[in-house]
Structure formats: structure tokens, C-alpha cells
Amino acid sequence: MNIICLVKFVPDITGFGYDYEASSMVRNHTRMVLNPDDVCALSFAFKVKERHPDSQIQVVSMGPTTVVPHMHDLLRIPVDKGTLISDPLFAGSDTYATSEVLGSYLKTQSFDCILSGSRSLDGATSQVPPQIAEILSLDHMLDISEIDVEKISPTEAVFSVEGERETTTWSMQLPGVLSLGRSSTCKLPYPSYADLQRDVSDKLTILTNKELGLDPSHVGLEGSLTKVVNTYDANSRRRAKTVVETNEEGIEFVFSYLKDRGFV
Amino acid sequence: MKRILILQDTELPKRSNDLLEVCNRIYGSEDHEAWLLAFSSDRENLPEGFERIILVQDEGILTEDARYICAIIMDLYSHHAFDTILIPGTWLGRMVAPRLAKQLHVGLVAEINDVQRNKDTLEFVRTAYSGNVLAGITMTSNPPIILSIKPGIFSWEPESLPKTIIQHYDKKITSPSSLTCLERKQRPVSYDIRDSEVLVSGGGGAKRAYPLLETLAEALSGDVSASRKLVDQGIAKRTIQVGQSGKIVSPRLYVAIGIDGAIQHVEGLHNVETILSVNTRPDAPICSISDVVVVGDAKIFIEKLLQKIALENEHTTPDQYTSDRGERE
């Protein structure tokens, strides 16, 4: 199998806090991590490779060159090939422009399957994978909970989606785009000790618009069809709190409070 | 006259008319009419409030095929040139809206939760930067406006109901998709946290107390929900997750047990009347947005409160209890 994984490095928001008292964001210790849903996509690619050792995994990402060390980490796991699309011209691209850029590269590649996460931790609107599928005229499925590793072949994938009221199992012809949802069981392999310090830079290609040759007016801020014009405080939700403890007095207070409002 | 097309919310068909509120927010008093694209399998659940309902005779899985739905919308658009197309931000909608935007070469503001009109410009508001900021976004592309709408935020109150024309769509459209549904397994759903009046919600700090949440929820006639942390650890099911990547809930009472209150979680609380939080850390973000904060251990709190409730119930004589219930019935 020839697999392309679309990944994104995002700020690790578990390190973020919000100080509601001061209405400000606490951004200490922010580091970039591989988007959790994308971990599931890559983890599945490795499952396929374990079963079919001749499979090739290429990781494709778009972002600033500051993520190069993170790409290197993936190449040490080892992912066979890494492609980072990075050009200041692309900065500020909305999802429309982003999928144009990624799509223009993917058009030049041969693959059986594109895997991605469903949602990104920072944007979380899952627009890019379906737009890429549209650009490439491929089928796509979102929020996949599991792909059947025994049944996947270069021409077909079988997978399930856990919905609100039912779990559905689907088949889709490949090539296609499959977006996985987050699951607690997804893990990436560890690099071998020998690979920890290995120079993997020869496996990483950094592409700029010089190579992709897109019309500059179709990418970045200029090529975006939406524009952020305002930001609002998302956190004006402070309430006049009463603080109690778990002693008798506290429990009494909570009980009366709930009783007065008809909850008990 | 502005014309809006709304895609049926196939998960909660009757709630599709909540998107009419988005139309009102966009067009205000300007003359506009809303059409609904619905599927015959939902014939029993057609919502009120639309000038026209286009009913597609669907066969099985086609209602879940984003490429097929896009093809129908494109066909309708070519005849009716809608000014705005609204897509619910459901599983299906999140596959349809981005494709549609690509096909129409327009921008997409996804999962909006507010509309602001500033003079002549329309701003669509959605959470950005991991939910820490609300971003007001404008479209720089030509019409139509395509938006996907965060479920559970907007609600529509009818002022007057238009007479609905039902139009059957029987044009044969072939889907380019190869999707085949192999199996459907119904899952028993006991409750939907979006409908709950009372939620007892557990977070990372409620791991040990998790089995007790159910008992407390029962005592408060409510349901159990959870934060992402408990879901990611496999302790709670994803269907009961509150927050940005879970569901938006609007209970009257939200009891947050061992929940830190990361902004992505708070994002899931909409119009909650009372928030009671139990936390060992009085400086946890959730405490600032609570009406009552109990500082202490979750397990001890629940046990003591349950004892108190049981004790009070004992003091209530059986007669009073029956008559109370009788009055309610």
C-alpha cells in the first residue's frame, strides 16, 4: 500500500489555561504536538505497514519551518518520506487556500489512500480533508472510528463510524480520503535507540511555491475567501460564586441551594 | 427577496428550523424566504416555518452520501440561485459544506455560533484558536454565502408560520461516490445529554468517583456527562462528552465534578442556569464561572450529599411523598 498521511502540528492546548478572573489567556509551557486525531491516522498507517512491510508511508504537512524537528521525529519512527510545504506566501491561508495548496501537491503524487485526522485541536472544523477529496475528485469519510486493517487493499477500504444512535460499517473504493476520529487506543511506535539521533534530513523535502508554482493571488491571505475582521472575548462568563467546603455546613448549603431551586 | 436553502438536520430533523434563526440574524427585516432540502425518510418529522420543502425520494444510504447531496444542492442552485446556503454542523453536514464551498468557489465559515451585523457588513462568529477567542469572519468571495452552523446554539421562535409548499424532487441524480453501507448496528441510547435538564458531569478529577456520578444523577433526576479527559481515557462514552469536540448542552443545573474547566469544555455550556462545581483546586477555571463552588474531594462530596438527600427523604412522610407526586402528575 502507498499511504499518504496528512498531518498538522498544533499548540498543545492541554498546557493552556484561561484566567477567568483576569480575562486573559495563560500560555505558559506551550509546545507544538502532533494533532491527536492525526496520531490515529498515522498509527493506522503503521498497522498496515506491519502487515504489508512493502507499504510506503509519506507524511505531508503544511506549516512554518519551525516544525522541521517534529517532522524529523516522525521520520525516525520511521516514516518513509516527509514533505513539508512551507512558504511565507502561504501564511494566513484559510481552509479554502490551504486545501488548494495541499491539493496541488497531492495531484502530483501517486497513492492508494490518503489518511488524515477528522478534527484539528486548534481549528476543529474538519474542512480541509473533504476539500482535498473534492479537489482530487475522491470519496471521503469523516469521523472514522476504525479501519479494518485485514480488509484494506489498494482498491478498497472497509471501516466503521460510530454515530449517535448506530454504528455503521462502510466500504469505499480506493484511492480515497479517510479521516479518523480520536481514540484513546492510538499510539505511535517509538523510534529505536539507534534512530534517536539519526540524521533523517535526507528523507524530508521542503517545498516552497517555487516548486509548486501556484498563482500567488490564490494562496495565503490574498487567496483566502474568508477574513477574520474582529475578535471577541470568549470568556465573559464569570459568575458570583459562593465557595463552601465539604463539611456539614457546606453540604447543608448545597442541599438548600438545590432544594430552593427544585432540584431535590 | 432573498432566498435561503437549508439542509435538513438528519440527526434531529425537527430541529432543522432552528436554522431559521440564523436567516433572521442575517437578513433581519429584509424580505427573505427559507427553503428546506429534506429526505422522504424524514417525511414524518418535517419541521414548520419554511416557505418551501424540497423532498428528495431517497433510497437508503444516499442521504449519508455527501457527494450525492452536493450534486442535488448544485442542481437546485443552478435553478434558484440561493443567496445563502446553511448546513447543520453535523457529521454529514461537516462533509457536505466544505465540498459545496469548493464547488461554488466560495469561502466557508464553519460551525458558526453567532451572526453580527455591523452597518453593511455581515460578520459570522465562530470560536478560534482552540476556543480561546471568538473570531468575527467576513466573506470576501461573491455570493452565495455558505455557512455551517454549530448545533445546539441557535433556537427559533415562530412569529407567524408561512404556508409550506412541499415540492417533490424526483430528478435522477447519479452519485459519483462508491460508498456502500455494509452493516448498521443500532446502539441502545438511554438519553441525549442535549435534552437533559440536570447534568452531573465528571472530569479528570472524578476518575475515582465516576461510578458514583450515576447515583447522584439519579438523586437529582438527571443524567451523567463527562469532559474530554474521561472520554479519552476510555472511562466515559464519547456520546456523553461536553465541549468543543463533544456536545453543546443547556441544562438547568450543571454539576461539574473534578472538571478543570478548560476553555474547550466551557465552550460546551450554553445558557446553563446554575453551575455547581466541586474541585480540590479553588483556582480551577471552572470555579470562576460557577454559582456555587465546593472545595474538596469529589467522592466525599457526593457521598455526603447523597446521605443528606436520603436523610431528608426519610423525613418526608410517605403520604407527603405520594401527594407530592400526585400533584405533579
Side-chain angles (χ1 to χ4, degrees), chain A residues 45-62:
Chain A
F46 276 105
K47 272 193 207 164
V48 174
K49 199 174 166 79
E50 210 176 277
R51 201 164 271 266
H52 308 285
D54 57 336
S55 297
Q56 290 289 308
I57 306 174
Q58 177 186 180
V59 162
V60 176
S61 190
M62 178 169 153

Side-chain angles (χ1 to χ4, degrees), chain B residues 240-301:
Chain B
I240 60 164
Q241 184 190 326
V242 172
Q244 199 185 23
S245 52
K247 293 192 174 113
I248 311 264
V249 296
S250 310
R252 286 184 54 222
L253 171 67
Y254 190 74
V255 185
I257 303 204
I259 290 177
D260 190 57
I263 188 76
Q264 299 77 26
H265 182 80
V266 174
E267 197 59 26
L269 304 177
H270 185 66
N271 287 342
V272 179
E273 207 175 283
T274 303
I275 300 179
L276 164 68
S277 63
V278 184
N279 214 294
T280 49
R281 285 178 42 220
D283 60 341
I286 190 91
C287 299
S288 298
I289 59 159
S290 299
D291 302 284
V292 179
V293 176
V294 181
V295 181
D297 179 77
K299 196 154 176 274
I300 294 171
F301 166 77

Side-chain angles (χ1 to χ4, degrees), chain A residues 109-124:
Chain A
Q109 298 295 296
S110 72
F111 53 84
D112 301 314
C113 181
I114 294 178
L115 298 173
S116 80
S118 283
R119 284 180 181 267
S120 71
L121 212 50
D122 56 346

Side-chain angles (χ1 to χ4, degrees), chain A:
Chain A
M1 290 280 294
N2 200 343
I3 300 172
I4 291 183
C5 282
L6 292 178
V7 304
K8 179 175 182 183
F9 296 94
V10 295
D12 181 9
I13 52 165
T14 54
F16 274 26
Y18 196 86
D19 184 342
Y20 289 89
E21 306 290 328
S23 284
S24 71
M25 204 152 54
V26 184
R27 261 190 267 173
N28 300 336
H29 319 298
T30 308
R31 54 185 187 127
M32 299 294 271
V33 291
L34 184 58
N35 181 50
D37 285 22
D38 304 353
V39 170
C40 291
L42 192 53
S43 158
F44 177 73
F46 276 105
K47 272 193 207 164
V48 174
K49 199 174 166 79
E50 210 176 277
R51 201 164 271 266
H52 308 285
D54 57 336
S55 297
Q56 290 289 308
I57 306 174
Q58 177 186 180
V59 162
V60 176
S61 190
M62 178 169 153
T65 48
T66 47
V67 306
V68 166
H70 296 283
M71 288 294 276
H72 283 170
D73 285 344
L74 297 183
L75 292 165
R76 288 190 186 103
I77 296 179
V79 164
D80 300 288
K81 186 183 173 194
T83 303
L84 176 65
I85 299 173
S86 189
D87 193 314
L89 209 58
F90 301 152
S93 294
D94 70 352
T95 51
Y96 191 97
T98 300
S99 55
E100 285 297 318
V101 174
L102 284 165
S104 79
Y105 170 68
L106 292 168
K107 272 183 190 166
T108 66
Q109 298 295 296
S110 72
F111 53 84
D112 301 314
C113 181
I114 294 178
L115 298 173
S116 80
S118 283
R119 284 180 181 267
S120 71
L121 212 50
D122 56 346
T125 54
S126 6
Q127 294 178 55
V128 172
Q131 294 206 322
I132 283 173
E134 182 60 35
I135 290 171
L136 301 171
S137 300
L138 295 175
D139 286 340
H140 166 248
M141 184 56 87
L142 199 66
D143 290 346
I144 295 175
S145 47
E146 201 177 351
I147 307 175
D148 192 332
V149 71
E150 286 174 29
K151 291 191 180 143
I152 195 164
S153 75
T155 53
E156 193 197 19
V158 173
F159 48 84
S160 52
V161 176
E162 265 179 46
E164 189 62 30
R165 286 181 169 74
E166 57 181 12
T167 301
T168 42
T169 307
W170 303 85
S171 87
M172 182 198 277
Q173 282 171 23
L174 294 184
V177 183
L178 303 175
S179 299
L180 284 106
R182 190 180 318 167
S183 132
S184 46
T185 54
C186 293
K187 296 251 163 15
L188 289 180
Y190 287 104
S192 69
Y193 185 72
D195 281 348
L196 273 177
Q197 301 298 329
R198 195 155 73 94
D199 180 12
V200 286
S201 47
D202 61 323
K203 294 207 283 180
L204 179 67
T205 310
I206 299 175
L207 295 176
T208 64
N209 201 40
K210 208 186 264 176
E211 291 81 20
L212 293 180
L214 289 154
D215 181 339
S217 68
H218 290 168
V219 296
L221 276 177
E222 210 189 328
S224 295
L225 302 180
T226 56
K227 193 171 157 195
V228 177
V229 289
N230 250 323
T231 54
Y232 303 95
D233 184 5
N235 302 286
S236 49
R237 309 183 203 211
R238 277 177 62 183
R239 296 187 182 202
K241 58 185 178 188
T242 308
V243 182
V244 298
E245 288 172 28
T246 53
N247 52 23
E248 203 173 313
E249 208 177 302
I251 299 294
E252 180 66 44
F253 177 84
V254 171
F255 181 79
S256 313
Y257 190 92
L258 294 178
K259 197 171 178 187
D260 290 349
R261 285 157 185 79
F263 293 118
V264 285

